[in-house]
Amino acid sequence: MTIQAGSRLGPYEIVSTLGAGGMGEVWRARDTRLDRDVAIKILPESLAQSEQFLQRFEREAKTISSLNHPHICTLYDVGHETSAVDGSSSAPSNLHYLVMELIEGEALADRLTRGPLPIHEVLRYGRQIAAALDAAHRRGVIHRDLKPGNVMLTKSGAKLLDFGLAKSAAKGGGVIEGLTTLPTEARPLTQEGTILGTFQYMAPEQLEGLEADARTDIFALGALLYEMTSGQRAFKGESRTSLIAAIVSSQPAPVTTVAPMSPPALDHVIRRCLEKDPDDRWQSAHDVASELQWISEAGSQAGVAGPITHRRKSRERLAWGVAAVLLAGAVALGAGYVARSPQPGKLVVAGVAPPPGTSLVPFDFLGLALSPDGTSLAIVAIDSRGQQSIWIRQLGSSESKAVAGTEGAAYPFWSPDGRHLGFFADGKLKRVDLAGGAPQILADAPSGRGGHWGGNDQILFSPNIRSSIYSVSASGGAPVAVTTYDATSETTHRWPVFLPGEKHFIYVSRRRGEGGAEMGRLMLAASGGGEARVLIEDSTNAVYVPGFLLHGKGESIFAQRFDVDDLKTVGRGFPIVDRDVSLWEPKNLAMFTASDDGTLVYLPNSTRQSVLRVYDRQGRPLEEITGPEFQQSARFSPDGSRIAVVRREAVGGRYDLWIHDLSFERSARITFGGEAEGVPVWSPDQSRIAFACSPKGVFDICVRDLERPGETEVLVETPNWTTPGSWSPDGGKLYFDDQDPKWNNDLYVADLNGTEAPKLILRTPFNETTSIVSPDGAWLAYVSDETGISEVFVRAASGAPGQWQISRSGGSVPRWSGDGRDLFFSSADGNLMVARVESFSPMRIGQPQLLFPLPGEPHRDEPVFEDVAADGERILLNVPTTNRSAVSLQVILNWTRRVPAD
């Protein structure tokens, strides 16, 4: 059956051909259900008659679907068409097809026709390809056909395609016969027979018909890196025989002789990838990615191959040392050089890893700040125990240290003399003397969003998500509001920064525009009060440095000239970091900091991904649910057959509600256009789902009817940030927590059948969240920080006095079993706990018992306990798959070199 534009395969309408891909044709198509463009790979009908090829095609589908990585093409669907695809009355077709992510970009093979890539692109794309291979290898999947035609270059980086020749390393077995195409060659040097892959990139063991493993892909990666760097293939031959002989017995010329500007350390990495004996190669793709990262961070210092063979700790120390040398020189020349010359110094870019033994949280990064003189960097990092605190890195040395008393800190900022730090922790604004001593509490700040310490010894700060900007003495006292927050049109005031003289300051005001989309604006206000005005539309946080406002816009940092005397912008802004800055969009925060001496530090853009995994009570995995990009707030349906989850789109960063059917292993989107902010909660009869939404810029509670699809309706509306907890067993009430700017989070219940306002259940000076009602409706489990840390408590759902503390050393995410006899929760030390209810009248709950440690790997985001099925036997965890240890900072010295002259 002929496929052509206009044909249909199930819900997919064919648009145009994309050419051959691996062992099938690839077409551009439109998914009419989800209204998105996709790529469809079709197994030719003639090949579908071959059981061998059909098995291979099905293997490819299973292989791709098991992988979830930002640099691996995502599989959406698998189909088998048995009816005429063109709507005619002709005989039914028998087509098998895959539906995949449509990748817009250029094939690496096409890019190489124009010559070698710049070294920084070789290192960037090489790291990404290696990371993708590492993710596949960890799942037991070997690609076996890595070549330029199977790599796409996109705006977000490299994408690895076509696992059509992949196999499961765990299953073993011999080499499967088959064929492939080679779009990078005029004449394919591939044959039908016992050898799979593309000859130019095949390892010696493949050519000998031996078993392939992860190191086989590393050989191909070395050949790929060689060609990307030099523009020439590593191995050449006049014929198939001479090419095989070259691969098996000869070494390519050092890449430094073909591309003299390439770092010798890169040649070392490539040559070790291309070792003939697999035991002499790098033993994992992760090692290759780490080495390429080291070279990228070391810059011109990566000229000697020797140090690159050190283990990880040595590399980390060396990376810090290289950055220290570069930065120390700049600091030493710093202010004096600027004073002598109107021209900035040489532009220097360096990578800086987190302090040894720590990692960053790139997807909810909690702040970094350069000291006023640019010599020290304060950064929030997490150590190997999971402790979050502020670390100080002296840029002129390789040492760093944690600041005592800053556990749980966020958004640090410096005093003008560089001797103190301000920060937010435990719902308070605090300061700490870096010479020693306990932190001092300055003011309440339930959800602090930025502070700035002025030369007048006043501190500007945003104490809450929805509040004015306040000013308080650096010695403490009564805060005074210095902006007027309009809850009818604005959704937040945050990230304040004094301008020189402290008579004016800037801050971010976020409000909803047309179509409901929120937009941050950089505002100018007088410290003494008065009406603020807009300085820059479409802006995130900003800092002032002499002559400029540096501000975030999307995933870029812009330099905007600013006349501090006339308080106005001059000319147009110019991107000094283009589309490479980590942006936490809901917080309107681009992750960067700058000092007056021309130093800029930022966190590069990262993509967060995770998988949902179902475990039994013994901690054994039962099944896995992958999804595009980041997933959060997953909940079992009452009968345990479905999972509601909020997923983040790769493009646009919008969050929507999805339902995954465990029986059919299919997912369907329930909301569109970023309606769902999180926390889906099933009604007892499974007909509706309540979730956090923001139709007016603050979190309300919305509901979607699953039996009568229609528009999203607002179920509970308050002027504050509201998060659903659970429905009552009869479906007539909804328990939720509400964040009042004057208080912290409090517990409420709404009668869904009446017209009365929600009823307050519990209000204290502390935070109470996550209200989960027991199956009989009598008891409420919740989380409170009244002891100084978050713990799980139980009290009567009616609001009657009396409570029972369940967890003892930190706890969160309480969940009842279906019979109400077991109360599960996550402990602060990374364990899943369960407490048995011994009696309901009177309430008596036994000591919590360890169910199993939450699975995880060092330096990765901790798995999140999400839910327990009603049977109490299936545990749902959300496991991030992005390696935090690979995340580092970028430092730019003399960034003004990137700003065009007037």
Side-chain angles (χ1 to χ4, degrees), residues 774-817:
S774 62
D776 64 0
W779 304 96
L780 205 63
Y782 62 97
V783 176
S784 173
D785 61 2
E786 67 174 66
T787 66
I789 61 174
S790 293
E791 300 280 11
V792 175
F793 292 82
V794 170
R795 66 167 42 242
S798 64
Q803 66 181 21
W804 293 262
Q805 183 176 337
I806 309 303
S807 60
R808 296 297 171 185
S809 300
S812 61
V813 197
R815 297 287 187 264
W816 298 96
S817 61

Side-chain angles (χ1 to χ4, degrees), residues 32 389 592 633:
T32 58
S389 57
F592 78 95
S633 306

Side-chain angles (χ1 to χ4, degrees), residues 440-465:
Q440 175 188 350
I441 296 176
L442 301 180
D444 288 334
S447 296
R449 292 296 185 265
H452 192 247
W453 198 321
N456 56 357
D457 218 27
Q458 291 289 307
I459 293 177
L460 293 175
F461 72 106
S462 173
N464 218 333
I465 296 172

Side-chain angles (χ1 to χ4, degrees), residues 445-729:
S447 296
R449 292 296 185 265
H452 192 247
W453 198 321
N456 56 357
D457 218 27
Q458 291 289 307
I459 293 177
L460 293 175
F461 72 106
S462 173
N464 218 333
I465 296 172
R466 300 181 68 242
S467 70
S468 300
I469 302 294
Y470 281 76
S471 176
V472 67
S473 169
S475 301
V480 177
V482 291
T483 64
T484 302
Y485 174 71
D486 184 356
T488 63
S489 61
E490 297 177 297
T491 62
T492 191
H493 285 182
R494 56 183 60 187
W495 318 128
V497 172
F498 273 119
L499 293 176
E502 285 77 36
K503 293 182 179 180
H504 294 84
F505 64 93
I506 56 176
Y507 68 96
V508 172
S509 167
R510 189 172 167 99
R511 64 171 60 212
R512 279 197 175 272
E514 295 182 4
E518 291 190 22
M519 180 74 71
R521 305 176 305 165
L522 191 63
M523 308 294 292
L524 174 70
S527 301
E531 186 174 354
R533 64 178 174 89
V534 178
L535 271 181
I536 301 174
E537 296 280 3
D538 189 13
S539 174
T540 66
N541 52 304
V543 297
Y544 174 81
V545 296
F548 292 92
L549 292 175
L550 294 179
H551 70 98
K553 181 177 181 180
E555 296 173 344
S556 301
I557 300 174
F558 277 72
Q560 172 66 63
R561 286 184 171 85
F562 185 71
D563 188 326
V564 72
D565 295 321
D566 292 338
L567 299 174
K568 65 180 182 180
T569 59
V570 179
R572 65 181 182 88
F574 187 84
I576 56 173
V577 179
D578 193 16
R579 296 189 296 275
D580 188 40
V581 180
S582 183
L583 170 68
W584 192 241
E585 199 279 335
K587 293 183 178 179
N588 224 98
L589 177 64
M591 314 305 182
F592 78 95
T593 180
S595 58
D596 291 353
D597 69 340
T599 303
L600 171 71
V601 182
Y602 71 93
L603 183 70
N605 194 14
S606 302
T607 302
R608 186 175 194 177
Q609 291 193 324
S610 63
V611 296
L612 299 176
R613 292 185 185 142
V614 180
Y615 294 78
D616 64 15
R617 288 179 72 111
Q618 288 71 47
R620 296 174 299 204
L622 300 177
E623 57 186 309
E624 181 171 294
I625 302 100
T626 60
E629 294 299 329
F630 179 52
Q631 305 182 93
Q632 64 181 14
S633 306
R635 300 293 294 272
F636 278 116
S637 61
D639 67 1
S641 66
R642 293 177 290 175
I643 293 173
V645 61
V646 173
R647 290 175 173 169
R648 181 183 185 272
E649 290 182 346
V651 179
R654 294 183 296 269
Y655 291 84
D656 277 304
L657 178 63
W658 291 68
I659 292 180
H660 181 82
D661 192 309
L662 294 169
S663 300
F664 296 96
E665 298 184 356
R666 296 289 182 94
S667 296
R669 180 186 282 183
I670 303 303
T671 66
F672 296 84
E675 292 181 277
E677 300 287 354
V679 199
V681 180
W682 293 84
S683 65
D685 63 1
Q686 306 184 128
S687 66
R688 294 182 292 171
I689 295 181
F691 55 91
C693 59
S694 55
K696 296 182 179 179
V698 296
F699 282 5
D700 292 324
I701 300 177
C702 291
V703 66
R704 287 300 295 260
D705 192 318
L706 303 182
E707 296 181 350
R708 294 184 295 274
E711 297 295 325
T712 297
E713 298 180 8
V714 176
L715 192 64
V716 177
E717 182 178 3
T718 78
N720 307 315
W721 291 71
T722 308
T723 306
S726 58
W727 299 71
S728 62

Side-chain angles (χ1 to χ4, degrees), residues 12 18 83 88 92 122 210 307 326 366 377 392 397 413 451 586 800 883 896:
Y12 306 105
L18 294 174
S83 60
S88 68
V122 173
L210 301 178
L326 294 173
L366 294 176
L377 178 67
I392 300 296
S397 73
F413 55 94
N883 193 341
T896 52

Side-chain angles (χ1 to χ4, degrees), residues 110-130:
D110 295 333
R111 169 60 185 84
L112 287 171
T113 62
R114 303 197 300 273
L117 279 67
I119 293 301
H120 74 277
E121 291 187 4
V122 173
L123 297 173
R124 178 192 178 204
Y125 295 141
R127 288 197 311 270
Q128 293 168 348
I129 296 168

